Amino acid sequence: VTAPAAATGLAIFGASGRMGLSVLRLLPEFPSLRLKAALCSATSPAVGRDSGELAGLGANGVSLSAEWPADTGDIGLALDFSVPAAAISNLRRCAASGVALLLGTTGLGADAAEPIEEASRRIPVLVAPNTSRGAGVLMSLARRAAAALGDGYDVSLHDVHHRGKRDAPSGTSLALGEAIQRSVGGPSVRVGYTSVRGGDVVGQHEVRFLGAGESVRLSHEVTDRAVFARGALEAALWLIGKPPGRYAMADLIEEK
Ligand SMILES: NC(=O)c1ccc[n+]([C@@H]2O[C@H](COP(=O)([O-])OP(=O)(O)OC[C@H]3O[C@@H](n4cnc5c(N)ncnc54)[C@H](OP(=O)(O)O)[C@@H]3O)[C@@H](O)[C@H]2O)c1
């Protein structure tokens, strides 16, 4: 009889938020991950509360805290769904502790590139502005369309999200725009961004290639936040044991 492999200890940054709670609710489906730390801001009303109870499950014994544990020996993996102001220091904590990180927080800006490169020399960092499978397919189709259509088409990227989303355009729109520029082969293609924020829309993206006499339209919609949470947990499992480096969702999708 072989003993089951030990579960990997998991930390969640932003555990009290919409995404963090969604991840907590799905965790029971991922027995190879064991929650070890649930983090939020120091001023959060959630500090000290049991994270399982906060997520509407039974108590799990892991309380919400603003403190990264002094001893991280039993944490192998972290998910970050927090805010840009916290995400870079979270990244540095993970690098210093040798903890693999899925960086799901968006709106980080250009200043984040260097700390991500620095951290990815020490740990595997999966930069994942969108962890849904369908959005990965949208990315791959947009790349192919851009390469096939060339620079004679203007590109319009449109995203719609709930009123609580802080960044605009979305991280997904920005990633699509960059991928399209690369696929066309340079900055010659004109890419415009529009965003709408309101209500409880989980996430919609539309890519349009507007040419002379024709246009191509690709779109993707998420109606349930659990799609992001499940994608994040699956991607995080994939990240365990990878050598240090910077990874993207495309690496995982292309490997499949
Ligand atoms: N990768 C993807 O597929 C994906 C999907 C959806 C969303 N996102 C991104 O994930 C991020 C979180 O989204 P959300 O909708 O869950 O946001 P949210 O509900 O506002 O949650 C933000 C979380 O960050 C915590 N936080 C705030 N300030 C902090 C600080 N200074 N230090 C540490 N923690 C802090 C909040 O805790 P308290 O307020 O309780 O302190 C809360 O737990 C956003 O950047 C969003 O764009 C990514």
Side-chain angles (χ1 to χ4, degrees), residues 201-216:
V201 179
V202 179
Q204 297 173 359
H205 288 91
E206 185 180 79
V207 186
R208 292 171 76 184
F209 296 87
L210 303 155
E214 65 172 358
S215 69
V216 176

Side-chain angles (χ1 to χ4, degrees), residues 52-153:
E53 283 180 354
L54 195 69
L57 310 169
N60 61 17
V62 179
S63 301
L64 267 294
S65 166
E67 305 296 326
W68 182 238
D71 178 5
T72 54
D74 54 1
I75 299 177
L77 184 68
L79 304 180
D80 191 319
F81 288 105
S82 64
V83 290
I88 298 305
S89 59
N90 296 341
L91 171 80
R92 293 201 171 106
R93 285 168 173 166
C94 288
S97 315
V99 171
L101 173 68
L102 182 147
L103 181 49
T105 300
T106 62
L108 298 180
D111 292 352
E114 204 214 301
I116 291 173
E117 287 316 311
E118 204 179 301
S120 63
R121 285 196 278 275
R122 304 183 68 171
I123 52 167
V125 182
L126 174 54
V127 181
N130 195 317
T131 52
S132 98
R133 189 176 304 192
V137 171
L138 176 69
M139 173 70 80
S140 150
L141 292 174
R143 279 194 185 134
R144 284 172 57 188
L149 293 169
D151 62 5
Y153 290 72

Side-chain angles (χ1 to χ4, degrees), residues 13-21 39-47 54 64-66 80-87 89-90 93 102-108 128-132 161-162 164-167 170-172 202 225 227-229 232:
F13 295 104
S16 56
R18 281 175 287 259
M19 277 302 298
L21 291 172
L39 297 133
C40 59
S41 73
T43 53
S44 174
V47 168
L54 195 69
L64 267 294
S65 166
D80 191 319
F81 288 105
S82 64
V83 290
S89 59
N90 296 341
R93 285 168 173 166
L102 182 147
L103 181 49
T105 300
T106 62
L108 298 180
N130 195 317
T131 52
S132 98
H161 283 88
H162 55 89
K165 185 164 176 68
R166 301 168 201 222
D167 52 322
S170 69
T172 306
V202 179
R225 190 165 280 109
V227 161
F228 295 130

Side-chain angles (χ1 to χ4, degrees), residues 146-147 149-154 184 186-190:
L149 293 169
D151 62 5
Y153 290 72
D154 299 326
V184 172
S188 53
V189 61
R190 295 197 327 176

Side-chain angles (χ1 to χ4, degrees), residues 3 52-53 59 61 119 178 211 222 229:
E53 283 180 354
E178 283 161 23
V222 175

